[in-house]
Amino acid sequence: MKDRWARESTRYGDSDSSVYRIEHVTELQYRLTWAGVYKSGATGYFGPKTREGVRTYQRREKLRVTGVATHKTWAHLLRDTVRQRGRIPRVCKTNGWHACYDRSTHQVTLWRGGRIRNTWLVRGGAYGGYETRVGKSVVYYRDIDHVSGLYGSPMPYSQFFDGGQAYHGSSYMLNPFVGHSHGCINMYNEDARQLWRLTSKKRLEVRVYGAWD
């Protein structure tokens, strides 16, 4: 997979059928909705309406109309659907690598040297002492095969930035807008692996901002 604005191709018949088989269909449907070309909700199944939404978007963007969300289609769609760009803190756009999480939009944007490289939909912590804490920090510890000492759950590609809070892959998240974590920033495993490949040998600054939604 290419590292900038990247997702694997998503096509008719694909589905986010379980937490162990994520094809990014749910994310695709959210982003097509935000792009104004799809109105049938995030079902997690790539059926006829999703395919038509992809085709409509490809026609609008003057891309090859196939109905398949190819890498090029994803690249356009991800750039177009970065939410609340004006609220992204200025520190995210400075030199170095920055992973910035907006709690209100469930969105992480990855920046390098003032340019955005990718964006992912994620799930953070909410109420009752489990909030993902706002503020600025730096990743201080990494573990590719981490297991939670509190909950015994796998946390692959963990990058810890504030106490026990980390970016990591989650085996419990199907829809980023449903449920919440215990404070960490949950990512689809493939997305956490991508973030790891890009940043695990870099100094990665983290900014958490926005009100929980």
Side-chain angles (χ1 to χ4, degrees), residues 150-162:
L150 283 175
Y151 305 106
S153 54
M155 298 168 55
Y157 309 105
S158 285
Q159 301 199 59
F160 287 87
F161 57 86
D162 184 356

Side-chain angles (χ1 to χ4, degrees), residues 31-121:
R31 294 191 182 279
L32 290 172
T33 299
W34 299 332
V37 296
Y38 175 76
K39 298 180 180 179
S40 297
T43 66
Y45 175 70
F46 195 129
K49 293 181 179 179
T50 305
R51 181 169 59 187
E52 186 54 37
V54 172
R55 286 172 173 164
T56 300
Y57 182 77
Q58 289 169 330
R59 281 192 290 268
R60 190 177 80 187
E61 297 299 307
K62 297 180 171 55
L63 301 170
R64 184 183 176 201
V65 179
T66 63
V68 176
T70 60
H71 179 273
K72 191 170 185 178
T73 301
W74 269 112
H76 279 252
L77 185 60
L78 289 167
R79 279 195 294 266
D80 286 350
T81 56
V82 173
R83 305 179 74 199
Q84 301 290 342
R85 279 181 179 265
R87 288 193 349 207
I88 297 174
R90 292 179 64 182
V91 68
C92 300
K93 306 170 187 178
T94 57
N95 288 336
W97 288 85
H98 302 265
C100 298
Y101 167 48
D102 183 351
R103 301 191 307 176
S104 68
T105 60
H106 296 235
Q107 169 184 266
V108 168
T109 50
L110 179 67
W111 299 76
R112 181 189 181 191
R115 299 186 66 183
I116 190 168
R117 292 188 65 89
N118 213 329
T119 182
W120 299 279
L121 296 183

Side-chain angles (χ1 to χ4, degrees), residues 103-200:
R103 301 191 307 176
S104 68
T105 60
H106 296 235
Q107 169 184 266
V108 168
T109 50
L110 179 67
W111 299 76
R112 181 189 181 191
R115 299 186 66 183
I116 190 168
R117 292 188 65 89
N118 213 329
T119 182
W120 299 279
L121 296 183
V122 301
R123 186 175 69 178
Y127 311 105
Y130 295 122
E131 297 90 346
T132 306
R133 293 179 285 273
V134 297
K136 185 171 69 171
S137 53
V138 178
V139 168
Y140 67 90
Y141 175 69
R142 295 177 166 103
D143 186 355
I144 196 169
D145 292 315
H146 192 77
V147 176
S148 170
L150 283 175
Y151 305 106
S153 54
M155 298 168 55
Y157 309 105
S158 285
Q159 301 199 59
F160 287 87
F161 57 86
D162 184 356
Q165 297 190 350
Y167 284 103
H168 68 82
S170 171
S171 297
Y172 300 98
M173 183 179 76
L174 266 175
N175 186 325
F177 291 92
V178 176
H180 57 83
S181 75
H182 290 97
C184 288
I185 300 173
N186 292 168
M187 306 180 73
Y188 290 132
N189 286 327
E190 181 180 299
D191 297 346
R193 181 169 63 247
Q194 188 180 26
L195 178 63
W196 178 276
R197 285 203 305 256
L198 287 166
T199 63
S200 63

